Amino acid sequence: DAKTTQPPSMDCAEGRAANLPCNHSTISGNEYVYWYRQIHSQGPQYIIHGLKNNETNEMASLIITEDRKSSTLILPHATLRDTAVYYCIVRGSTSGTYKYIFGTGTRLKVLA
Amino acid sequence: DTGVSQNPRHKITKRGQNVTFRCDPISEHNRLYWYRQTLGQGPEFLTYFQNEAQLEKSRLLSDRFSAERPKGSFSTLEIQRTEQGDSAMYLCASSLAGTSEKLFFGSGTQLSVL
């Protein structure tokens, strides 16, 4: 089972910041938080990942709480092309496996 | 294009037939994953390889499913005696093993079992 909880859907106005939350209260010390997104009819696409510190790249920012029990993916200026399903995944070697377990994600709709 | 390549993109078959899908990973990647995805659901893990070794297989994977990765390069996923419930998108991903590895997915093979 997925170790994360995400809202099933969110709307965001074009040009505004999209903030997608994720709860991972059972995360272990060596587990990373990953975000992927999936645009209709395509394979998932890597966005960003982090362990403890906040991270930023050309696509998004990742804010991880100090206790690491939750995180937020921020798309600073959402565009219509950001409409997709966003998956938050916790992954590490704690359980002896390296597989990624996807939940059902958050369906983000960017509105014109 | 140096991304993950999957063939065919679409496959329509009759119930009871065998089908085989192929995945060509990014050339330097040593890990290869297979996932299955049905409408409205996230990708469901099937199996993964490190080089040619199959390291994990989902308990959900019946013995009608088999995957291989000879020589640690491309991989094939075969489904024998297909059932209508096998209809899904089959996704392949590859990665370079490491503590913070990233998966790169192909566009998938859409299987329809009639």
Side-chain angles (χ1 to χ4, degrees):
Chain A
D1 290 342
K3 297 179 67 174
T4 61
T5 304
Q6 299 178 252
S9 63
M10 293 181 64
D11 290 341
C12 176
E14 189 178 21
R16 304 297 294 269
N19 297 284
L20 291 89
C22 179
N23 287 321
H24 31 80
S25 58
T26 61
I27 193 170
S28 299
N30 66 348
E31 291 182 316
Y32 285 76
V33 179
Y34 285 80
W35 284 83
Y36 284 76
R37 74 179 183 184
Q38 188 172 24
I39 296 170
H40 184 61
S41 297
Q42 298 181 21
Q45 174 192 23
Y46 167 82
I47 302 172
I48 199 167
H49 73 284
L51 183 62
K52 295 179 181 178
N53 301 320
N54 298 338
E55 303 287 344
T56 295
N57 62 20
E58 65 279 3
M59 291 182 70
S61 295
L62 174 59
I63 307 299
I64 303 174
T65 58
E66 194 169 341
D67 63 8
R68 303 211 319 127
K69 293 186 176 182
S70 65
S71 61
T72 301
L73 178 75
I74 301 172
L75 307 178
H77 305 286
T79 70
L80 298 178
R81 288 177 295 179
D82 292 322
T83 293
V85 178
Y86 288 77
Y87 298 100
C88 170
I89 301 162
V90 162
R91 178 189 175 270
S93 62
T94 299
S95 57
T97 178
Y98 291 96
K99 66 190 178 194
Y100 288 74
I101 301 175
F102 288 77
T104 51
T106 295
R107 185 172 299 274
L108 175 69
K109 187 173 182 180
V110 180
L111 305 171
Chain B
D1 186 12
T2 57
V4 177
S5 176
Q6 291 189 246
N7 288 289
R9 283 284 282 128
H10 303 275
K11 179 70 177 178
I12 299 173
T13 191
K14 292 182 179 179
R15 188 175 51 188
Q17 297 294 305
N18 299 343
V19 294
T20 300
F21 310 139
R22 177 178 170 125
C23 173
D24 287 274
I26 294 172
S27 59
E28 64 269 24
H29 285 182
N30 54 0
R31 281 193 181 150
L32 187 147
Y33 297 75
W34 284 99
Y35 283 82
R36 177 173 64 188
Q37 186 173 28
T38 54
L39 202 61
Q41 301 298 311
E44 175 187 30
F45 172 79
L46 293 178
T47 188
Y48 90 92
F49 294 82
Q50 180 150 324
N51 300 312
E52 65 275 8
Q54 187 173 18
L55 295 188
E56 189 168 349
K57 191 174 175 181
S58 169
R59 290 170 295 174
L60 300 173
L61 211 61
S62 77
D63 54 10
R64 295 185 297 107
F65 288 72
S66 63
E68 293 183 342
R69 194 184 181 197
K71 303 178 184 178
S73 55
F74 73 92
S75 176
T76 58
L77 177 69
E78 181 183 17
I79 309 174
Q80 295 183 328
R81 305 181 302 283
T82 53
E83 302 172 356
Q84 288 186 325
D86 297 331
S87 295
M89 174 72 81
Y90 290 83
L91 292 162
C92 174
S94 70
S95 68
L96 201 57
T99 55
S100 60
E101 68 182 83
K102 307 170 192 176
L103 290 188
F104 292 83
F105 281 84
S107 296
T109 294
Q110 181 67 52
L111 173 66
S112 298
V113 181
L114 304 178

